[in-house]
Amino acid sequence: MTAHKVCPWWLGYFLASPLRRLLQNPEKIIAPYLQPGMRVLEPGPGMGFFTIPAARLVGDKGRVFAVDVQPKMLRELQHRAEKAGLGSRIETRLVESESMPLADLAASIDFALVFAVAHEVPDVLNFFKQISATLKPGANILFVEPAGHVSENAFSEEVAAAGNAGLRHVASPDVRGHSALLQKMVREEFATGKSR
Ligand SMILES: C[S@@+](CC[C@H](N)C(=O)[O-])C[C@H]1O[C@@H](n2cnc3c(N)ncnc32)[C@H](O)[C@@H]1O
């Protein structure tokens, strides 16, 4: 069973705390997928545990779009980004839980990070469809869910929903929790149900 309760804003401070690095090293987790100049989408960034390292890794020509349903998460994220001198590389957007205004990003994103957020979303298929529409063909999503909140079965259902949104499961990276590397299928593959 998945819960659709949104993580309280004050928990954002714990999630972005340096202590978390003892369990999860954000640079190590995302660096394999990022290069300078890339455009990254991060739905549910919280206070930026991954956003700030991502902004460093994409360099001054890259951009990270961080979209969240809670203004307090985004305000603190922006504050931390400014403090780190990375404010100009990060764009925050406040979104509705069922609808993310991302039409201007259509087919322009190189990589998306969906970390510990899908179980908070009311309609996972719709969520992945909206993310999928922003991705360039062949772009990757690193999708991770916390094992404490999400069962193996629930995670498989979420990965299946991602498949129905045109996102193929291509690998299972070694990240604490449940993890899947998804790849945006090209239109023909999705239409015919064929995988490369
Ligand atoms: C458990 S926190 C994870 C934060 C961050 N990804 C991390 O790993 O540190 C989940 C975040 O997702 C956000 N969220 C929940 N539902 C969302 C939705 N439908 N769209 C975007 N963000 C959402 C919450 O406000 C919260 O910031």
Side-chain angles (χ1 to χ4, degrees), residues 71-143:
K72 283 187 174 158
M73 295 288 194
L74 294 177
R75 269 202 298 274
E76 178 63 19
L77 191 160
Q78 265 164 340
H79 173 68
R80 288 172 187 235
E82 294 300 336
K83 222 169 123 190
L86 297 166
S88 62
R89 298 183 196 175
I90 298 173
E91 181 179 322
T92 57
R93 292 188 187 183
L94 185 63
V95 297
E96 303 282 325
S97 75
E98 308 227 23
S99 141
M100 297 188 275
L102 302 174
D104 58 313
L105 303 182
S108 76
I109 295 293
D110 299 290
F111 173 73
L113 179 68
V114 178
F115 207 107
V117 52
H119 63 283
E120 296 187 6
V121 166
D123 181 344
V124 177
L125 172 60
N126 181 43
F127 177 68
F128 277 118
K129 277 185 178 168
Q130 292 177 81
I131 297 168
S132 182
T134 70
L135 299 177
K136 295 178 181 172
N140 286 322
I141 300 183
L142 179 60
F143 173 39

Side-chain angles (χ1 to χ4, degrees), residues 6 15 20 44-46 67-70 73 97 115-117 120-121:
V6 172
L15 291 171
R20 184 174 170 193
V67 305
D68 206 291
V69 291
Q70 299 194 75
M73 295 288 194
S97 75
F115 207 107
V117 52
E120 296 187 6
V121 166

Side-chain angles (χ1 to χ4, degrees), residues 13 25 38 51 70 76 83 104 113 140 144 149 167 178:
Y13 289 102
N25 177 330
M38 278 188 163
T51 323
Q70 299 194 75
E76 178 63 19
K83 222 169 123 190
D104 58 313
L113 179 68
N140 286 322
V144 181
H149 292 300
L167 302 164
H178 306 295

Side-chain angles (χ1 to χ4, degrees), residues 124-195:
V124 177
L125 172 60
N126 181 43
F127 177 68
F128 277 118
K129 277 185 178 168
Q130 292 177 81
I131 297 168
S132 182
T134 70
L135 299 177
K136 295 178 181 172
N140 286 322
I141 300 183
L142 179 60
F143 173 39
V144 181
E145 287 280 64
H149 292 300
V150 179
S151 68
E152 191 74 51
N153 272 352
F155 184 67
S156 300
E157 284 170 19
E158 290 174 347
V159 171
N164 291 331
L167 302 164
R168 177 178 44 209
H169 183 185
V170 290
S172 300
D174 184 15
V175 180
R176 200 183 178 89
H178 306 295
S179 78
L181 187 68
L182 308 174
Q183 188 177 55
K184 171 139 180 176
M185 292 184 228
V186 296
R187 199 195 305 250
E188 300 74 40
E189 288 172 334
F190 188 42
T192 59
K194 268 193 221 147
S195 289

